[in-house]
Amino acid sequence: MEIRLINNNQPYGNDILLIKGQAQSKIQYEEEMDRDTTIKYLNDFIKPKYEIRWFIESLGNDTLCFVLLKSDEWEILEEEFGK
């Protein structure tokens, strides 16, 4: 996978282009670049092989944590601990 920054002359900064083989996806921000939009686009781009999920134990901390695993690894965890 490759990530490129594209100058868009917007006040929030460059756009992000995700590239995997022939597939490309430009992250569509509105008025500002934000973490949630970035993670949602990246997650959609890497599916179905991988998934990014929020690590709930980081709730309340000053930094949220996210975990990247293969989709079948998430399935195993869901079977053991529930969704």
Side-chain angles (χ1 to χ4, degrees):
M1 188 166 112
E2 181 181 349
I3 298 171
R4 292 188 189 159
L5 299 178
I6 301 171
N7 185 351
N8 60 14
N9 297 314
Q10 296 296 319
Y12 62 76
N14 296 329
D15 284 332
I16 298 173
L17 180 65
L18 306 171
I19 304 166
K20 180 175 55 179
Q22 298 297 325
Q24 295 186 8
S25 179
K26 180 178 163 192
I27 298 178
Q28 300 289 324
Y29 297 103
E30 296 196 16
E31 295 180 16
E32 63 182 11
M33 188 179 282
D34 65 280
R35 175 199 63 219
D36 293 342
T37 301
T38 305
I39 291 172
K40 287 175 187 176
Y41 270 84
L42 180 57
N43 196 42
D44 287 343
F45 194 70
I46 63 174
K47 280 183 176 181
K49 189 172 183 178
Y50 297 95
E51 285 184 62
I52 300 170
R53 296 191 188 184
W54 170 49
F55 183 58
I56 197 164
E57 295 297 321
S58 67
L59 180 62
N61 293 330
D62 63 347
T63 303
L64 294 178
C65 296
F66 297 87
V67 179
L68 170 69
L69 292 174
K70 290 183 177 181
S71 296
D72 58 345
E73 293 172 317
W74 284 119
E75 289 176 18
I76 292 167
L77 290 171
E78 286 178 3
E79 286 175 15
E80 185 171 345
F81 299 103
K83 198 160 189 157

